[in-house]
Structure formats: structure tokens, C-alpha cells
Amino acid sequence: MAQKNRDAGPAARQILDMNAFDAAAGMGAASPSLKRRIANVGAAAVLFYREPIEVVSARGSWMTAADGKRYLDFYNNVPSVGHSHPRVVADVTDQIARLNINTRYLNSVVDRYLDALKAKFPDALSNVVLSCSGSEANDLAVRIAATASGGTGIIVTENAYHGNTSIISDISPSALKRRGLPDHVVTVAAPAHAGQRNSIENAFAAHIERAIAELERRGHKFSAFICDSIFSSDGVYADPPGFLRKAIDTVHKAGGLYIADEVQPGFARTGDAFWGFARHDVMPDVVTMGKPMGNGFPMAGLATRPELLARFCEETGYFSTFGGNPVAAAAGMAVLEVIAEERLQDNALEKGAHIKARLKDLATKDDRIADVRGAGLFLGIELCRPGHAAEPDPELASGAINGLKDRGVMIGAAGRFGNTLKVRPPLSLSEEEADIFVDRLADTLSGIPAS
Ligand code: PMP
């Protein structure tokens, strides 16, 4: 929970705790469905909202609740070609009725997809490994880096989230509660949004250099720098394109690998490019991906150079029973085709620019909007105390999230203090839907008195 005492400033928060239902605060007038969920899942429940929503169906940009209320989905970046896209539904249904088996057999549906996915990467990253979750993909990436570098030292951003396996929880500061990071993990501050391109580029590279030195001081050989290419859990930092270049040079000069985590920004969301790293014109050693890859069908994976994968496979056997099966391949192929046929990357750029311009206009009238930033349909709206851009206001963000919920819009928060609203609608968003969001946000903020 955000700290109440404003003078002391807000407390840092874990990404999963932001705007979550808090069972410890008491069940109050909980619905039977809510009581049933908590009874089944216990402390591992991660429900959204103080009063969670029971959803029953979704289509395009809209989700429908059990009580019939419709919500414009500006939160979920998994159904990124639109909820229940008919093409994905048809291809998955057709394939599951035909064949679903592991990848120890040749199958043209799988190989056609691997070819199409590979074509989306720089030529050097010519091997792809498919798995079922972003966590698994990152876990394998970190292990590939360890065999390649002969070290275990990892650098991450200070509010990063990369997944839930043992190895990956250890490099996800945003998932850790009471326990701290292990000794072999050093954090760097997320790139700041203010300043000129050169200063961000240089400052970020300098942070990386210091982190490498710190790992050496602690006696850990540097293995890899991993970052979400749009720094989503850190608060969404996209600009200026290219600011990662110097940092990645520094990583490579020190003998480390650069792992680009594209689980959030990948698959055309940023509008400028298919991958977030491509906006920065940098060359990763490993790229990991997930979330939107199957538009809701659980699939993930990584792309890397053959020699890095070969080195890892010499030491450890690797196989995933469900990863990359023909149904996943059918879902993934449908997603790639829909993105191309419906020109969703262009739509992300266009609708993202429209929303950004309208939000920037809103910021000129409401001095609690400290910044509007991001790329394509991945934007961050940073909220602060009135006229004090440097003073984060997570309570206002929370009020906005719940006020938007009342007005039929789903949105979430990010950033160290949870004061940045994350804008991530489906890439198929229409201009009318974009305007509904901005209008309802303006209405919500005007209903919350400045404090
Ligand atoms: N990387 C990033 C940047 C993520 O946001 C997430 C999930 N929120 C993951 C990795 C982990 O993916 P998954 O939940 O599919 O394991």
C-alpha cells in the first residue's frame, strides 16, 4: 500500500501489489465469487482492484463483466490484436482438432511458424527456442549468458520485473518483498525522461559502467545486462530512440551479453518498430518474448545466435513439453499475419500519437500530469502533486484507476511509486475508442479534487 504520510514521500511498491485487491484488509462485503477465489488460491491471489471485476467475455478492445457492464481494455497487452480475434480463434480451433503434440516430431505448421518468426529478427539471431511463459524464456536466456560468459553477475533496472522462476525472481527487484537482491545482482536507475538525448545516453551508460565495476568489486564475473526495452515496470521510458546504444557498447566491451526482454514492447506495440530494441538500433545477444505472441494462447520464446545456444546445450539438455507445439504455432502464425494484414504497427503509431497529443493537451490544463511519454500504444502518464512534477502521487494514480473503472475503462499503474498510468490497449484500437479513453480520463481527474 502507498504510504499515507505525504511529508515522508510515497513508499516504493511491488508491481503485483499495485492497485491489487488486498485480502489482508478484510473481506468486507466480498461477493461469493471473490470468497471462492481467495479460499482456493490463498495468499497467491493477485486480483486487480479493491473490488475485483468478474469477467465473462471479450471482443476487440472491450471486456464484458458478469453484471453486463462493458469495459474498454487499456490494460491488457496480451490480446494485442484484439480480444477473441476471429482469425486466431479459427486457426487455433482448426489445429487443436487436427494435431497437438510436442516438438520431437517434424511438423510443417511448427516449421512454417519458426521461419516466419525468425524473419522478424536480425539475421545473426537465427535460432529460436519456444517455451510457454516469459519467465521460462528469461530463465533460459540468463543460463545461456552464464555459459557464454563464464560468470553469473547480472545487471537489471531498479524496478524491473522479468518473471517468476527461482533464477528470474532473483533478478526482479519489483517482485521481491522482504528479501533483498542476491549479491550477484546489481541494479541501475531506469533512464530518466528529462534532458537531452546525449545526457540520457551517457548517464545510462555511466550507470552500467559503475554496475559492472560493482560486480567486479563483489567478486562476480559480469554475465549479462537484461532490460525490458521500454522499461515498463520502471515507469515506461522510450525516448529518445537510440539512448541504449552506448550502454550496450559498454556491456559488450566488458564481455557481457545484452538480453532484450521484449515480453511487453514486442510484436509491433511501439509502432516505430516490431521490437523495442530496434527503436534503439542496438544488437541483442538474446531476445526474449511472450505475452502478445499468441494473443492469449500461452506461448513465449527467445531468439539468439546459434553458437550461444550450442554452448549452453553442450552442458545442459533443454526441452519443453508444451513449448512451440502445433497449436501454439498456429496461434503465433495467426498473430503475425493479422499484425501484417491489418497494418497494426502503423495503427499503433497513429493511434498512439493521437492519444499522446490529446494527453499532452490535457496536461496543459491539469498540473497533476507531470509527464506523458512512451511510443506507439505503450504510453506512461506520470501523476504528481499539483504543480510539483518531482513529487509522485500514487494515491492520485490509484484514484484514477478506480475512477476509470467506474467509468468503464481498465488501466493499471507502473513505476517505483506506482504513480505512472500504463496505457496499453489492443493494437487494433479505433480513434473513437482512443477518444473514449481520453475523455473518461479527463472526467475522472476532474472529479478528484487537487490535494
Ligand atoms: N518480462 C517482462 C518485462 C514482463 O512484464 C513479464 C510479465 N509481466 C515477464 C517477463 C514474465 O512473463 P510471464 O508472466 O509470461 O512468465
Side-chain angles (χ1 to χ4, degrees):
M1 294 295 288
Q3 202 167 300
K4 287 277 181 302
N5 180 355
R6 286 183 177 282
D7 295 336
R13 307 203 292 186
Q14 277 76 39
I15 195 84
L16 285 171
D17 284 348
M18 284 176 197
N19 187 44
F21 171 71
D22 184 5
M27 295 293 283
S31 67
S33 326
L34 176 52
K35 284 188 180 141
R36 178 157 77 174
R37 175 66 68 87
I38 299 298
N40 284 331
V41 186
V46 287
L47 289 159
F48 278 127
Y49 296 111
R50 294 168 197 152
E51 287 167 29
I53 304 171
E54 182 171 348
V55 287
V56 289
S57 64
R59 186 81 184 213
S61 307
W62 296 85
M63 291 176 76
T64 305
D67 62 4
K69 184 166 174 174
R70 293 178 79 227
Y71 293 87
L72 181 59
D73 186 359
F74 262 59
Y75 180 85
N76 292 292
N77 60 350
V78 170
S80 79
V81 301
H83 284 276
S84 308
H85 192 289
R87 173 73 158 280
V88 181
V89 173
D91 289 2
V92 165
T93 310
D94 181 64
Q95 186 57 45
I96 204 162
R98 197 180 301 272
L99 171 77
N100 198 20
I101 194 69
N102 66 61
T103 48
R104 301 195 74 178
Y105 305 93
L106 292 173
N107 176 262
S108 63
V109 176
V110 171
D111 289 293
R112 189 169 155 254
Y113 178 58
L114 292 173
D115 287 346
L117 184 61
K118 255 175 61 167
K120 293 287 175 194
F121 288 100
D123 290 348
L125 306 179
S126 62
N127 278 173
V128 284
V129 180
L130 299 183
S131 56
C132 305
S133 69
S135 302
E136 272 176 90
N138 280 332
D139 193 283
L140 178 59
V142 167
R143 293 164 74 199
I144 287 173
T147 44
S149 64
T152 53
I154 298 283
I155 300 172
V156 291
T157 52
E158 63 187 3
N159 216 50
Y161 181 81
H162 293 293
N164 62 11
T165 69
S166 177
I167 289 176
I168 300 301
S169 293
D170 275 352
I171 64 162
S172 293
S174 185
L176 301 180
K177 295 182 177 176
R178 290 200 190 143
R179 73 187 174 93
L181 289 167
D183 202 53
H184 69 280
V185 182
V186 170
T187 62
V188 288
H193 49 89
Q196 297 301 308
R197 178 208 156 118
N198 263 350
S199 63
I200 294 178
E201 187 170 358
N202 289 336
F204 197 60
H207 281 147
I208 295 286
E209 214 166 298
R210 278 201 295 277
I212 293 169
E214 175 60 17
L215 282 171
E216 271 164 23
R217 192 191 65 74
R218 293 184 193 179
H220 299 290
K221 187 166 192 294
F222 176 40
S223 176
F225 166 55
I226 176 168
C227 72
D228 168 346
S229 313
I230 200 159
F231 302 89
S232 39
S233 60
D234 283 289
V236 187
Y237 295 100
D239 285 330
F243 77 69
L244 273 179
R245 237 177 266 146
K246 208 163 174 180
I248 303 311
D249 277 354
T250 307
V251 165
H252 284 149
K253 276 188 193 127
L257 269 67
Y258 160 43
I259 302 170
D261 182 334
E262 291 286 338
V263 167
Q264 297 241 17
F267 294 90
R269 179 161 289 279
T270 65
D272 295 329
F274 200 82
W275 306 112
F277 71 80
R279 294 183 67 248
H280 290 289
D281 191 25
V282 286
M283 186 60 186
D285 300 286
V286 187
V287 180
T288 60
M289 60 206 136
K291 288 190 190 285
M293 197 172 178
N295 208 49
F297 192 89
M299 59 187 301
L302 64 73
T304 189
R305 297 200 303 275
E307 69 275 17
L308 295 177
L309 188 60
R311 178 84 189 79
F312 171 78
C313 290
E314 270 165 26
E315 300 203 1
T316 313
Y318 191 83
F319 172 66
S320 165
T321 300
F322 298 120
N325 66 51
V327 177
M333 195 69 208
V335 167
L336 292 181
E337 286 172 353
V338 170
I339 291 173
E341 285 164 19
E342 297 184 11
R343 303 173 53 87
L344 295 185
Q345 189 174 315
D346 289 345
N347 195 54
L349 197 62
E350 193 185 302
K351 302 304 181 305
H354 176 72
I355 296 176
K356 206 181 200 179
R358 286 209 56 200
L359 290 173
K360 282 194 182 271
D361 181 52
L362 190 60
T364 62
K365 297 168 196 144
D366 189 331
D367 63 0
R368 295 170 298 174
I369 300 179
D371 194 25
V372 178
R373 54 178 179 260
L377 282 173
F378 206 138
L379 304 176
I381 308 168
E382 187 171 327
L383 299 176
C384 64
R385 294 183 67 194
H388 292 85
E391 293 180 32
D393 194 341
E395 282 169 25
L396 176 60
S398 208
I401 288 166
N402 286 286
L404 277 167
K405 177 196 167 204
D406 295 342
R407 290 165 179 79
V409 178
M410 292 177 178
I411 196 168
R416 181 155 181 235
F417 305 109
N419 64 311
T420 300
L421 299 178
K422 266 186 304 192
V423 174
R424 297 181 310 195
L427 307 186
S428 49
L429 194 78
S430 69
E431 186 162 318
E432 190 194 349
E433 290 164 341
D435 285 335
I436 290 174
F437 163 68
V438 182
D439 292 344
R440 292 186 190 176
L441 175 66
D443 187 47
T444 302
L445 289 176
S446 70
I448 304 175
S451 57

